[in-house]
Amino acid sequence: MLTVRVEPHPFFQRKGNNLIVRVPVTLAEAALGGRVDVPTPKGVVSLHVPPGTSSGQKLRVKGHGVAVKDGPPGDLLAEIQIVLPKQLDDAAREAIRQIDARHPFDPRANLRW
């Protein structure tokens, strides 16, 4: 009897023929948009993050997933993860408070407990 265990990849997670990679971005990159480098099995690609992108949103890179013999390759799904600095000074916290006051919304409005 033989037992084979495959270690998970440090960056990619497989879902069918698609690959998922978590991409950390700054608050400014998510809010204002920008370009970020994303690893793929074929090498690094530059991906456009649209303005107003939220954590958890997935951006598709067509054809950069798992290659298969008898069909088209899967896609790479870049899952955006907004990462904030560990330490914010008083001015930064105040700027965030001002943005929050100018653009009030409830991100949990559609949740039913």
Side-chain angles (χ1 to χ4, degrees), residues 57-93:
Q57 239 176 301
K58 292 182 178 82
L59 305 175
R60 183 177 308 273
V61 182
K62 197 161 180 71
H64 281 76
V66 177
V68 292
K69 287 183 186 178
D70 56 349
D75 298 330
L76 178 78
L77 303 173
E79 183 179 332
I80 300 299
Q81 300 290 312
I82 298 171
V83 180
L84 299 175
K86 294 264 187 221
Q87 300 292 325
L88 294 173
D89 61 20
D90 291 339
R93 283 194 292 277

Side-chain angles (χ1 to χ4, degrees):
M1 184 182 284
L2 181 65
T3 302
V4 177
R5 292 192 178 104
V6 178
E7 289 287 323
H9 193 277
F11 303 118
F12 302 112
Q13 181 182 23
R14 185 173 178 170
K15 194 167 199 177
N17 289 336
N18 293 332
L19 294 175
I20 299 170
V21 61
R22 289 192 176 100
V23 180
V25 299
T26 66
L27 180 59
E29 289 169 329
L32 304 175
R35 290 212 160 273
V36 295
D37 289 339
V38 177
T40 77
K42 298 176 183 179
V44 175
V45 297
S46 182
L47 184 64
H48 173 71
V49 178
T53 300
S54 295
S55 271
Q57 239 176 301
K58 292 182 178 82
L59 305 175
R60 183 177 308 273
V61 182
K62 197 161 180 71
H64 281 76
V66 177
V68 292
K69 287 183 186 178
D70 56 349
D75 298 330
L76 178 78
L77 303 173
E79 183 179 332
I80 300 299
Q81 300 290 312
I82 298 171
V83 180
L84 299 175
K86 294 264 187 221
Q87 300 292 325
L88 294 173
D89 61 20
D90 291 339
R93 283 194 292 277
E94 183 55 33
I96 292 170
R97 282 188 201 96
Q98 288 177 7
I99 292 169
D100 190 49
R102 290 163 109 180
H103 303 278
F105 77 103
D106 183 358
R108 295 170 294 283
N110 294 329
L111 293 179
R112 300 293 178 247
W113 303 106

